[in-house]
Amino acid sequence: MLTTLRRIVLEFSQDAQLHSALERMVSQIKKALKTDCCSVYLADYSQQHFLLMASDGLAITSLGQTTIGFSEGLVGLVGQREEPLNIANAHHHKDFINAPEVQEDDFNAFLGTPIIHRRKVLGILSIQQKQARHFTENDEAFLVTLAAQLANALADAEVRNLLNQTQEKNCTVKQLVGIAGAPGIALSQIMVCQPKADLTALALCEIPPEAQDEQTQRFEQALAKTSADFEQLSLKLSHFIQDETLAIFDVYKQLLTQADISQEVYAKIKQGWQAESALKLVIEHYVLQFEAIDDSYLRERASDIRDLGNRLLFNLQQQHNQPLTLPHAFVLLADEVTASMLAEYQHKGLKGIISLSGSANSHAAILAQALEVPAVMGVSGIPLAQIDKQEVIVDGYSGELFINPDEALKREFQHLIAQEHALTEKVLAEIHLPTITPDGRTIELQLNAGLSAGFDCPEQLSSLGVGLYRTEIPFMSRPCFPSELEQTQLYEKILADFPQKSVTMRTLDVGGDKSLSYFPINEDNPFLGWRGIRITLDHPEIFLVQVRAMMRANQYHNNLEIMLPMISNVSEVDEALRLINQAYYEVNSELKQELKSKRKAEHTGHIDSGNNNLPRPKIGIMLEVPSVIFQLDELAQRVDFFSVGSNDLTQYLLAVDRNNAQVASLHDAYHPAVLRALNSIAEQSTKYLVPLSLCGELAGEPAGALLLLAMGFDKLSMNGHNIARIKWVIRHVDFQRAKIILSHTLKLTTAKQVHSYLNEQLELLSLGGFIRAGL
């Protein structure tokens, strides 16, 4: 039966037409269970009823016509109870209703089970038999299992079916929901974009030894051409955005050189692979490495690697760009919209982007934010060809898409677009002003950064500090651990970019879920495994080299702060501080000796090295593991600052993997437990006089920022594109009013209540325009 079940699900998911897929399915189930009838009803929430869509046993004339209310009949009862219903004689059941048109008078036995996807009943699957009997446990188990496996396929099939209806009937498709990638609203025609070259479709090909030199030369030429292409894209964008954002393309160029991709391709060619095949093998290795990472920001670098590989393949194959006839305004749709794709089209009428994959952490989304292009990412289950050239509304605030909207809906969104432009002008007018409430409470806003400290920071924000600098990338983009000198040079550049502003560098945060190809770790549960401070304390040679590099980089800047990740107990802090002190005294002594030797060589005489001590950086910890909430007293005696990692703290408090689509909706920083934990941390930090910051998505949301302000957080660290609106909100709400809002919020019992209340408060504060933008 398991083989039969799998075949039914597979054939259903492969059928592009929902109607034919349902017809085949009911016939297959009827045959497999040897019943007299099998039917499927789909839920229509707009009409509050189930519609009989397919049946093998009921009257053909009733298909697509017969409806049963959500609270009517046995079908409605199954939907209400959300569990199977097994009845020996349906006609005798109190909820049975007679529908003459379906011609089911001869059927007695009834077994129905709901088809549920993400807590929503999509339909009812039922079987019936003339003989009055209870269906067997095996029959029930088969039907329940089949319904559970069909749920995802049916959800995708319903989207495809709605799109077909849109084409045929010119009706509106609502609530196609993805991930909000970049704020804003766009109304325009869809243009589907396919990659010009695709490594995934490439077949591997070997070469004889005498062809290796030619293949190496071909790859060298492609490498040079690709680097020039990225330079050209960066130059084009420089007319539209600030230089810091353009560092995204520096990342591509770094991947071409520092990541040793080219050297690995050369090695594969020497092993006997054609240049294209060698490239495919190397790129796929890096993509798998990055896709295995838990951190959503770092995992999105797989998209950059894939894009780089396809660009190299395009130049390897010596293809030429074909001129395209573009509409004067369009929304770009692709399986995976990349940063380079966005750069290529942004000055040609681009109004918005839709990517079937990716997240708000992708470089395409970050670049879209800088260009103020609305973006929706991760919209699954949409066949590209079906919606090419159709009109669409892209809501980059909510992540919603509206295909072929009617005139009323278009007028509504055009009004919102006008409001958005007016609000943006107000926000930008105050971007250079201090972050202070009308009644005098100040809070510092800082930047989150990763591949390049300022890569997503507009020029007018360069006076801010960095609240979180991720140091993982130099380790992940190499075939071995980076040397102390390499790390020193990188960190020195970051510190120099922010003179007299603090730069908080997080020590290496890799482990079971963030793999290094040269340091493999295999674990059953990487979320709770060997990672962060645990791995670096177990390998002090890695930790000491990194800390030494940070301190050397800081000798002329004195703006470094070091932050320890994944702290779960006091002993980890004690051991890390011991190693940091060791590194400090070593580097301090070495620098004094180097200075002494230099002066001696220059014949400048005696040096009082005691006046040239290395600046000692502040040391802090990330509060992301719930256990530390109960040890803040002891920790406060050991460190200089606390920084809450709200994304991971939420994940651990709620036991939810936000990268798992099945449970991602449960990951909510506005959950009362999370807010109460944050408030407790803030109260204890104030009590122990320890500065407190937060780096996470909550800091970049207007309602979240108001709550954190009221709790007493000293600093909020966020992506650069959020700085302006958060500053504007804080400047227009009294601190005492924020305290009142917080007090009420902490009494609420569900995340839904919190969202509703905060939306209401933003409206009352005349900040309703930010509801779309942040909560």
Side-chain angles (χ1 to χ4, degrees):
M1 293 295 284
L2 183 60
T3 302
T4 302
L5 188 148
R6 288 174 175 169
R7 187 183 72 251
I8 293 173
V9 174
L10 179 62
E11 291 183 6
F12 178 88
S13 61
Q14 290 178 340
D15 197 323
Q17 299 298 320
L18 177 61
H19 184 68
S20 60
L22 292 172
E23 285 184 334
R24 183 190 307 106
M25 180 188 71
V26 294
S27 295
Q28 289 174 324
I29 296 172
K30 176 182 174 181
K31 180 179 179 181
L33 295 181
K34 297 181 173 61
T35 65
D36 297 320
C37 177
C38 177
S39 309
V40 62
Y41 300 79
L42 295 187
D44 183 342
Y45 281 87
S46 65
Q47 300 296 323
Q48 292 290 295
H49 65 217
F50 292 102
L51 175 65
L52 177 61
M53 290 293 294
S55 179
D56 188 342
L58 298 182
I60 295 177
T61 54
S62 66
L63 303 184
Q65 302 297 322
T66 298
T67 61
I68 299 176
F70 282 169
S71 59
E72 296 177 347
L74 297 179
V75 169
L77 185 60
V78 173
Q80 283 185 317
R81 291 173 52 167
E82 298 183 353
E83 63 180 350
L85 187 63
N86 191 346
I87 302 171
N89 195 320
H91 296 279
H92 294 167
H93 194 280
K94 64 182 181 64
D95 288 297
F96 177 80
I97 58 172
N98 183 37
E101 70 273 15
V102 302
Q103 300 175 17
E104 61 178 345
D105 293 345
D106 292 339
F107 300 131
N108 289 291
F110 173 90
L111 171 60
T113 189
I115 305 171
I116 301 176
H117 181 256
R118 298 184 184 176
R119 305 189 181 188
K120 181 179 181 180
V121 177
L122 301 182
I124 307 298
L125 187 59
S126 71
I127 54 176
Q128 294 171 272
Q129 196 146 15
K130 294 177 180 179
Q131 180 186 354
R133 68 177 181 92
H134 283 102
F135 285 95
T136 67
E137 290 185 2
N138 287 339
D139 292 338
E140 185 171 331
F142 179 91
L143 204 63
V144 169
T145 304
L146 180 62
Q149 293 195 14
L150 277 173
N152 283 330
L154 181 58
D156 288 342
E158 282 193 320
V159 171
R160 293 195 300 269
N161 188 55
L162 284 171
L163 291 171
N164 284 333
Q165 292 176 10
T166 299
Q167 290 177 312
E168 295 168 5
K169 303 177 184 179
N170 196 32
C171 66
T172 303
V173 177
K174 296 183 179 180
Q175 294 182 335
L176 286 184
V177 181
I179 299 167
I185 301 169
L187 170 57
S188 196
Q189 174 184 335
I190 289 175
M191 187 192 80
V192 172
C193 181
Q194 303 285 4
K196 298 172 184 176
D198 187 2
L199 277 173
T200 60
L202 187 72
L204 295 177
C205 180
E206 294 180 297
I207 56 170
E210 59 270 20
Q212 291 178 9
D213 288 344
E214 178 194 354
Q215 295 299 310
T216 299
Q217 185 177 11
R218 289 181 61 230
F219 182 71
E220 288 175 348
Q221 293 171 348
L223 205 61
K225 179 65 169 63
T226 304
S227 181
D229 289 344
F230 285 126
E231 190 68 43
Q232 185 65 26
L233 287 174
S234 179
L235 181 62
K236 287 181 181 178
L237 280 180
S238 65
H239 300 296
F240 301 92
I241 55 177
Q242 305 299 329
D243 290 342
E244 287 81 359
T245 311
L246 298 179
I248 286 177
F249 294 98
D250 291 337
V251 173
Y252 281 95
K253 288 180 278 188
Q254 289 170 12
L255 290 171
L256 285 171
T257 55
Q258 297 176 5
D260 289 321
I261 288 178
S262 55
Q263 285 76 7
E264 293 188 35
V265 172
Y266 293 141
K268 292 292 183 184
I269 292 174
K270 288 183 179 180
Q271 293 172 15
W273 294 103
Q274 183 190 47
E276 288 89 341
S277 299
L279 176 65
K280 176 184 175 75
L281 293 169
V282 172
I283 292 297
E284 288 181 345
H285 165 74
Y286 275 94
V287 166
L288 288 173
Q289 180 179 333
F290 275 87
E291 285 182 338
I293 298 172
D294 173 44
D295 186 291
S296 59
Y297 177 87
L298 295 175
R299 189 174 58 253
E300 282 297 336
R301 304 293 73 79
S303 173
D304 301 330
I305 299 288
R306 216 168 8 244
D307 185 30
L308 177 66
N310 287 336
R311 292 260 168 183
L312 282 166
L313 178 63
F314 179 79
N315 288 320
L316 257 178
Q317 296 174 336
Q318 295 185 328
Q319 299 185 44
H320 298 285
N321 287 315
Q322 299 297 324
L324 294 175
T325 302
L326 300 173
H328 73 280
F330 60 91
V331 169
L332 184 69
L333 169 65
D335 276 317
E336 183 174 52
V337 176
T338 63
S340 62
M341 199 181 288
L342 185 56
E344 188 172 341
Y345 289 104
Q346 57 82 29
H347 60 293
K348 299 178 180 178
L350 180 67
K351 298 300 180 182
I353 63 173
I354 305 169
S355 183
L356 302 195
S357 60
S359 74
N361 288 308
S362 70
H363 272 163
I366 291 169
L367 189 55
Q369 293 157 9
L371 289 167
E372 299 181 356
V373 174
V376 174
M377 319 295 288
V379 188
S380 60
I382 301 179
L384 296 180
Q386 283 188 250
I387 55 175
D388 190 22
K389 295 183 174 57
Q390 294 192 46
E391 196 169 30
V392 65
I393 292 173
V394 177
D395 188 339
Y397 296 116
S398 66
E400 288 182 299
L401 302 177
F402 299 85
I403 313 296
N404 276 350
D406 58 29
E407 290 302 318
L409 193 60
K410 285 195 285 188
R411 283 194 300 272
E412 177 185 342
F413 274 89
Q414 285 165 347
H415 177 65
L416 290 173
I417 291 172
Q419 284 186 323
E420 180 185 51
H421 289 163
L423 183 59
T424 300
E425 291 179 4
K426 291 181 181 179
V427 167
L428 294 179
E430 298 189 11
I431 196 169
H432 294 289
L433 299 177
T435 311
I436 182 170
T437 65
D439 54 354
R441 179 77 174 198
T442 60
I443 188 169
E444 184 177 351
L445 304 186
Q446 294 187 307
L447 302 167
N448 290 340
L451 294 176
S452 174
F455 80 98
D456 59 350
C457 173
E459 185 177 357
Q460 61 266 39
L461 302 179
S462 59
S463 61
L464 302 175
V466 175
L468 169 63
Y469 179 77
R470 305 171 179 91
T471 62
E472 288 79 39
I473 288 298
F475 289 82
M476 302 187 68
S477 59
R478 293 178 46 81
C480 61
F481 286 108
S483 68
E484 182 176 327
L485 177 60
E486 288 174 305
Q487 293 185 64
T488 300
Q489 291 172 341
L490 173 63
Y491 302 151
E492 200 281 329
K493 182 180 184 305
I494 302 305
L495 295 172
D497 284 344
F498 293 86
Q500 300 180 345
K501 295 293 180 180
S502 63
V503 176
T504 304
M505 293 189 173
R506 183 177 67 188
T507 58
L508 184 63
D509 188 13
V510 297
D513 64 318
K514 299 178 186 176
S515 60
L516 301 175
S517 60
Y518 50 87
F519 192 65
I521 302 168
N522 297 310
E523 296 182 299
D524 292 332
N525 193 345
F527 294 99
L528 305 177
W530 198 45
R531 56 176 296 190
I533 198 67
R534 298 169 182 174
I535 187 172
T536 50
L537 290 183
D538 284 352
H539 283 274
E541 73 279 12
I542 300 173
F543 186 73
L544 283 167
V545 167
Q546 183 177 37
V547 173
R548 282 172 54 89
M550 289 179 179
M551 290 186 173
R552 278 188 170 273
N554 188 46
Q555 62 177 312
Y556 299 120
H557 302 288
N558 194 20
N559 59 343
L560 169 69
E561 295 183 354
I562 296 177
M563 185 160 62
L564 308 173
M566 195 67 181
I567 293 294
S568 60
N569 60 68
V570 173
S571 61
E572 292 171 338
V573 177
D574 288 338
E575 178 62 12
L577 289 175
R578 184 187 70 79
L579 293 173
I580 290 172
N581 284 331
Q582 175 184 328
Y584 173 82
Y585 288 118
E586 289 174 356
V587 174
N588 191 39
S589 175
E590 292 167 9
L591 291 175
K592 287 182 177 181
Q593 185 59 44
E594 291 170 9
L595 180 61
K596 185 176 181 180
S597 299
K598 180 180 179 182
R599 296 292 178 85
K600 185 176 181 180
E602 295 173 351
H603 307 290
T604 55
H606 176 70
I607 301 297
D608 182 6
S609 58
N611 295 327
N612 296 281
N613 283 328
L614 180 72
R616 185 182 285 272
K618 293 181 179 179
I619 310 299
I621 61 171
M622 291 201 75
L623 306 182
E624 50 193 340
V625 180
S627 61
V628 297
I629 300 175
F630 306 98
Q631 292 187 294
L632 292 181
D633 184 2
E634 297 92 335
L635 293 168
Q637 301 172 36
R638 290 164 166 80
V639 299
D640 300 304
F641 65 90
F642 295 145
S643 181
V644 176
S646 62
N647 295 345
D648 276 343
L649 181 63
T650 301
Q651 177 169 256
Y652 287 127
L653 276 173
L654 303 182
V656 172
D657 174 14
R658 66 179 185 154
N659 299 313
N660 181 339
Q662 297 294 333
V663 296
S665 61
L666 301 177
H667 186 283
D668 192 338
Y670 295 93
H671 188 290
V674 177
L675 294 179
R676 291 169 191 173
L678 292 173
N679 191 56
S680 174
I681 291 170
E683 290 176 343
Q684 293 184 70
S685 298
T686 301
K687 176 182 176 181
Y688 302 129
L689 303 178
V690 178
L692 178 64
S693 65
L694 182 140
C695 49
E697 293 174 6
L698 187 65
E701 299 173 356
L706 287 180
L707 294 178
L708 297 170
L709 168 73
M711 290 177 189
F713 278 77
D714 303 293
K715 301 177 182 179
L716 302 180
S717 187
M718 63 199 72
N719 292 333
H721 67 272
N722 287 325
I723 294 285
R725 65 177 179 175
I726 296 304
K727 177 178 288 190
W728 198 91
V729 169
I730 290 173
R731 285 182 52 81
H732 288 79
V733 179
D734 283 337
F735 177 65
Q736 292 305 318
R737 180 64 181 274
K739 294 276 285 184
I740 294 171
I741 293 173
L742 172 65
S743 176
H744 184 80
T745 300
L746 292 174
K747 298 174 184 176
L748 301 175
T749 56
T750 68
K752 183 177 180 180
Q753 291 175 349
V754 172
H755 284 285
S756 177
Y757 172 69
L758 293 177
N759 278 341
E760 174 188 310
Q761 291 304 305
L762 287 177
E763 289 284 5
L764 291 174
L765 291 165
S766 299
L767 299 175
F770 287 101
I771 292 176
R772 302 186 66 81
L775 188 57

